[in-house]
Amino acid sequence: MGQRMERSGPDPATAYARGMSIGATWAGTHTFAAARLIEATSIDELQEAVATTDGPVRALGTRHSFNDLADSPGTLITVTSIPADPALDVGNRTVTVGAGARYGDLAVWLEAQGWALHNMGSLPHISIGGAIATGTHGSGVTNGCLSDAVAAVEYVDAGGQLRSVRRGDEGFEGLVVGLGAYGITVRVTLDVQPTFLVRQDVYRDLPWNTLLEDLPGVMGAGYSVSAFTMWAEDTVQQVWRKSRIGMGDTPQPSWLGARFERPDESGLVDVPPANLTVKGGAAGPWLERLPHFRLDSTPSNGDEIQTEYFVALSDGAEALRAVRSLADDISPHLLVTELRTVAADGLWLSGAHGRDTLAIHFTWRNSPAAVAALTPRIEAALAPFGARPHWGKVHSMTADAVAEVTPRLADAQEQFEALDPDGRFANDHLRRLGLRTPR
Ligand SMILES: Cc1cc2nc3c(=O)[nH]c(=O)nc-3n(C[C@H](O)[C@H](O)[C@H](O)COP(=O)(O)OP(=O)(O)OC[C@H]3O[C@@H](n4cnc5c(N)ncnc54)[C@H](O)[C@@H]3O)c2cc1C
């Protein structure tokens, strides 16, 4: 194939690469300490850069993580300017694409060919390489995280050599959610399926007790369901049901005591409705309904900090009760919480490894001190449920706590060390969490 894939909108990574300071994460929550940022424009150039640069190197995606995960004491390298060159393999139902491409741009290209991804994160602006490296997910009780659709990865190793690994290869499950810890991904092969239509309906004021009494039922009442809450009220503010047309889950006007909202007027706290994908029950292509934010708009609030924890869906109601006991302390610092589900997978560092999962997300006001004070309390409340952190978001978990809830962490770390024995792709964040060894 190889038709050109258009990229729309600004690309911050490119702007910084043109001689400006490296700057910060998208939300400004971490200022990069790396001395240099290289913007590779081809795989050859990337290989050359890794082979000839002295000291530590690390991949930087579209910088939508909220912590210092992507930083390096040496050089950052971005692959966002390497042409995406998507190639569809209809027989195997896969697409192979540059890792620096944004999900939203790939989605537009796939839709034009009549194909679809199984799911999208809330924003389509993230790079594919960065999203899969952290186990980014959307929602849906039968939908794995975005990394779960990865069939193969091509990457540049610590010596600048091009390597590939595919589903079925030994250790593959330890490399997809790889946190940039062993190389720089250049091309990714993703499972695809024929395009489909989705409608998005909003329900307001679902009673909290109704949610807690049948969490899997509520969260499973559509192809992708998200619930938004501030924790303190008696009802859950909004439930967004994204229903796949033709799968028999068309929403009913009256549902579980919640108010069916029509016409489409829902904003999200501090996010104008115009920045959100179309709701109000109008059917549209998957790529214009599964993400919350429109590709051509500013996603989310921007002046924010995000935190997210993963628990087993079967423990979800109890876990929510535990967090709710902190509601009065949480809500003054919160923009909104979103609850989503992720189907179990076998990826060693996925938040949904081995268990169908409830994802409990917090978009905080931009008050780092308040967030730093609250995350340990939320983690303590969720500890009995073996909560795992989202790698790309802010949390306070120690290496010991992370090891306890990540059964394959030692295997992943061993594989990273074997592939990168000199620690070129290691950084303080990975060492702090026990994902790379101290040296
Ligand atoms: C507004 C907003 C909404 C979000 N919504 C969601 C959501 O719905 N679901 C969810 O799960 N998360 C969500 N996130 C988090 C986001 O998806 C992750 O932080 C993701 O990693 C961002 O991708 P990125 O390209 O910006 O990666 P970066 O932040 O640039 O990097 C993250 C990690 O990926 C590595 N990496 C990047 N590119 C490569 C590469 N080519 N090869 C190897 N490693 C690489 C980096 O080294 C680093 O370790 C959201 C974030 C924001 C800001």
Side-chain angles (χ1 to χ4, degrees), residues 178-396:
L179 305 165
Y182 64 93
I184 301 180
T185 306
V186 286
R187 290 190 65 79
V188 180
T189 301
L190 301 170
D191 297 333
V192 294
Q193 55 186 281
T195 182
F196 55 92
L197 294 175
V198 175
R199 59 176 285 167
Q200 200 173 181
D201 296 274
V202 176
Y203 293 83
R204 285 192 180 266
D205 300 329
L206 178 79
W208 253 106
N209 284 344
T210 307
L211 178 71
L212 295 176
E213 276 159 22
D214 185 13
L215 184 70
V218 173
M219 298 305 290
Y223 183 70
S224 164
V225 173
S226 292
F228 295 91
T229 179
M230 293 297 287
W231 296 101
E233 330 86 333
D234 292 335
T235 58
V236 173
Q237 281 185 355
Q238 298 188 31
V239 178
W240 293 3
R241 290 172 80 180
K242 301 180 190 232
S243 310
R244 196 163 158 160
I245 304 293
M247 285 184 72
D249 59 359
T250 305
Q252 303 303 310
S254 138
W255 179 60
L256 299 175
R259 185 162 53 83
F260 187 60
E261 179 177 282
R262 60 174 119 198
D264 177 21
E265 60 186 25
S266 308
L268 203 53
V269 189
D270 286 352
V271 180
N275 288 6
L276 299 171
T277 50
V278 172
K279 298 185 210 59
W286 59 282
L287 68 164
E288 294 174 12
R289 297 294 181 276
L290 291 177
H292 296 340
F293 302 104
R294 294 165 54 111
L295 182 60
D296 59 1
S297 77
T298 305
S300 197
N301 176 290
D303 191 21
E304 67 190 51
I305 301 171
Q306 293 189 11
T307 294
E308 190 167 33
Y309 301 100
F310 303 108
V311 298
L313 181 57
S314 54
D315 289 333
E318 280 313 305
L320 292 176
R321 283 192 180 94
V323 177
R324 246 191 127 204
S325 69
L326 305 173
D328 290 344
D329 295 336
I330 289 174
S331 57
H333 303 290
L334 191 68
L335 284 167
V336 74
T337 270
E338 180 178 10
L339 307 175
R340 286 180 284 183
T341 52
V342 193
D345 61 51
L347 304 173
W348 296 354
L349 297 181
S350 163
H353 175 81
R355 61 191 194 193
D356 288 334
T357 288
L358 176 72
I360 307 174
H361 164 91
F362 304 81
T363 302
W364 301 107
R365 297 182 185 283
N366 191 3
S367 333
V371 173
L374 278 164
T375 47
R377 296 179 63 199
I378 295 171
E379 286 157 16
L382 290 176
F385 311 103
R388 299 169 180 155
H390 189 306
W391 303 117
K393 302 186 181 181
V394 171
H395 65 90
S396 325

Side-chain angles (χ1 to χ4, degrees), residues 25-27 32 58-66 69-71 79 99-100 120-123 126-138 178-181 183-186 292-293 299-301 304 306 308 310 338 340 361 390-393:
T25 52
W26 172 83
F32 290 103
R58 250 178 104 61
L60 180 65
T62 44
R63 53 179 82 201
H64 284 96
S65 293
F66 288 83
L69 173 63
D71 212 345
V79 297
M120 298 278 279
S122 69
L123 80 170
I126 43 176
S127 82
I128 296 167
I132 64 169
T134 58
T136 292
H137 62 93
L179 305 165
I184 301 180
T185 306
V186 286
H292 296 340
F293 302 104
S300 197
N301 176 290
E304 67 190 51
Q306 293 189 11
E308 190 167 33
F310 303 108
E338 180 178 10
R340 286 180 284 183
H361 164 91
H390 189 306
W391 303 117
K393 302 186 181 181

